[in-house]
Amino acid sequence: MANGKTYTGPAILSAGFRPFFLLASGFAALAVAVWLAIWTGFITLSSVFSPVDWHVHEMIFGYGAAVVAGFLFTAVPNWTGRLPTRGMPLAGLALVWLAGRLASAGLLPLGPVGVLGVDQAFLLLVGAMIAREIVAGRNWRNLKVLVPVTLFWAANIAYHVEAMTTGSASSGHRIGIAILIFLIMLIGGRIIPSFTRNWLVKQGVTRLPVPFDRFDGFAILTAVIALAFWVLQIEGPIATILLGFAGFVQLARLSRWRGERTLRSPLLFMLHVAYGFIPVGFLSAALSAAGGVSAAATLHLFGAGAVGAMTVAVMVRATLGHTGRDLIAGPVATGAFVALTLATLLRVIAEVDGVNRDVFVESAGILWVCAFAFVAGKICLAVTSDKPRRKRPSSAAGHGDQGR
């Protein structure tokens, strides 16, 4: 039985991160490859969304939702002490996610309302299943995680409704990205300094990251207010000042985590680099509010940069740790992260260099596809087997920090 004490099913369905991190990484490569084919005129989709809205929706509510599900279904058992969701319930949830991708791409015979109904079901079920586990485990303090999940679900519905009523989801994508940025600030603000502290202690370093304190709370509150201005597309001096201030506060927050001392651990350094896209994104938003930078530049700094890079860093790290492998990035993951970072930068440059825009967009897309293809391959090797191949003994079981 899936819920028995001894699980005998396939390894891929033994924990939430296994199917969803693999699906997310593989889909991120496939969806952008399809988008490039659409962009260059090789194919068309019969989606209820416009081509651009389909691309943005699938990156946020397709890829992003799968990563969120994988993370939560792995974290919740640690919070509640209960067995993880696995086996057929996990397979069924993965199929619901896949149905949403097919519906959004126009590959199911459904109208706009039908597509909405199929697509929203995944996050609705994720929230319901997490709520059931938290309540059953009487882990009341973590019920608050349902707030961003519910908001993310509502944002997906709003995206569909906006696209149906106006022909474009120009506000929906900013809401979705803002929620993901909030989750990164909240969760990343806990795990990055914690992982960094663990690793630095082993290196004998005495100047350690500052633990989560009131400044972190202030940084998050300031950023949430600034994100509200960005979502509502409020421009002018007040928006510019607020967004710029949020960016500098986030830079100050990042500097407290001693990321410059982690260069010898690429797997750890990736987390700091990924978080760095958040303050840069706020500063770009400030310039955009002042009329100096394209709004698309900010969108890609937040979406491709902060969300894309952070989720890759977390997925690789969690997959290695939870499958009993050494926390070592290796050339594949390191190269993929570098390619993803370059893809983000090229996509931003495309918004500045109007003459060569197409070249930069296509180059960024190719780098993105290659990066996620390699990440998917690395994750696939780990999540489909319970017999890790170790190069040397290690005391870590996914929570320590000996990686390079």
Side-chain angles (χ1 to χ4, degrees):
M1 289 177 60
N3 292 324
K5 290 185 178 180
T6 301
Y7 176 74
T8 58
I12 190 68
L13 297 176
S14 63
F17 74 92
R18 291 177 184 259
F20 286 116
F21 285 178
L22 179 57
L23 286 170
S25 55
F27 179 72
L30 176 62
V32 172
V34 171
W35 168 242
L36 283 176
I38 295 172
W39 171 270
T40 54
F42 282 101
I43 66 171
T44 59
L45 286 181
S46 57
S47 173
V48 295
F49 296 122
S50 70
V52 172
D53 282 344
W54 172 81
H55 166 60
V56 175
H57 177 272
E58 292 305 280
M59 290 296 95
I60 299 172
F61 299 106
Y63 169 76
V67 175
V68 169
F71 176 84
L72 289 177
F73 279 112
T74 304
V76 167
N78 293 328
W79 300 343
T80 63
R82 288 170 54 82
L83 292 173
T85 299
R86 55 194 183 184
M88 292 308 296
L90 197 58
L93 191 62
L95 288 175
V96 172
W97 177 86
L98 179 60
R101 311 289 57 78
L102 295 175
S104 295
L107 299 177
L108 298 180
L110 299 170
V113 175
V115 172
L116 188 163
V118 172
D119 187 46
Q120 63 81 37
F122 177 70
L123 284 170
L124 181 63
L125 287 173
V126 168
M129 293 168 75
I130 288 173
R132 180 198 63 188
E133 291 301 306
I134 291 176
V135 170
R138 298 183 180 277
N139 186 251
W140 310 115
R141 66 187 182 90
N142 280 315
L143 276 174
K144 59 182 178 289
V145 76
L146 293 176
V147 174
V149 173
T150 302
L151 290 175
F152 200 40
W153 168 71
N156 188 22
I157 293 176
Y159 195 105
H160 281 269
V161 172
E162 184 181 13
M164 280 190 283
T165 55
T166 69
S168 175
S170 59
S171 297
H173 66 261
R174 288 192 302 276
I175 297 172
I177 288 178
I179 293 170
L180 292 176
I181 293 296
F182 170 76
L183 286 172
I184 291 173
M185 291 189 296
L186 184 65
I187 299 172
R190 299 279 187 176
I191 65 174
I192 296 174
S194 175
F195 291 159
T196 303
R197 172 181 289 272
N198 293 342
W199 187 79
L200 290 178
V201 167
K202 292 181 179 180
Q203 309 308 306
V205 177
T206 56
R207 192 181 178 195
L208 302 174
V210 179
F212 193 97
D213 58 16
R214 290 183 178 179
F215 179 80
D216 293 276
F218 172 74
I220 292 175
L221 176 61
T222 303
V224 168
I225 296 173
L227 283 171
F229 273 66
W230 178 67
V231 167
L232 296 173
Q233 289 187 295
I234 299 175
E235 299 180 346
I238 295 178
T240 300
I241 293 171
L242 180 58
L243 288 162
F245 181 69
F248 284 115
V249 171
Q250 288 296 318
L251 277 175
R253 188 188 192 205
L254 180 60
S255 70
R256 289 156 40 104
W257 298 341
R258 311 291 182 249
E260 73 282 355
R261 295 178 176 269
T262 65
L263 282 169
R264 290 188 294 112
S265 175
L267 193 62
L268 187 55
F269 188 62
M270 289 177 192
L271 294 170
H272 293 267
V273 174
Y275 196 94
F277 279 107
I278 291 181
V280 175
F282 276 116
L283 295 176
S284 173
L287 292 174
S288 180
V293 173
S294 166
T298 302
L299 182 68
H300 286 91
L301 283 168
F302 277 150
V307 176
M310 182 61 74
T311 51
V312 162
V314 169
M315 284 194 298
V316 170
R317 183 188 181 88
T319 298
L320 292 175
H322 285 285
T323 57
R325 289 162 169 81
D326 292 333
L327 294 177
I328 298 174
V332 172
T334 302
F337 187 85
V338 171
L340 178 58
T341 303
L342 289 175
T344 301
L345 296 178
L346 287 176
R347 189 60 187 82
V348 172
I349 292 173
E351 298 305 319
V352 178
D353 188 343
V355 177
N356 301 299
R357 184 173 186 270
D358 288 356
V359 174
F360 284 121
V361 169
E362 291 164 16
S363 298
I366 291 171
L367 283 171
W368 175 282
V369 171
C370 292
F372 273 97
F374 281 118
V375 169
K378 188 175 184 70
I379 290 176
C380 183
L381 290 175
V383 302
T384 55
S385 172
D386 281 325
K387 297 179 180 179
R389 300 182 297 275
R390 293 187 182 277
K391 293 183 179 179
R392 62 178 184 276
S394 168
S395 61
H399 308 290
D401 229 318
Q402 82 277 18
R404 285 192 300 275

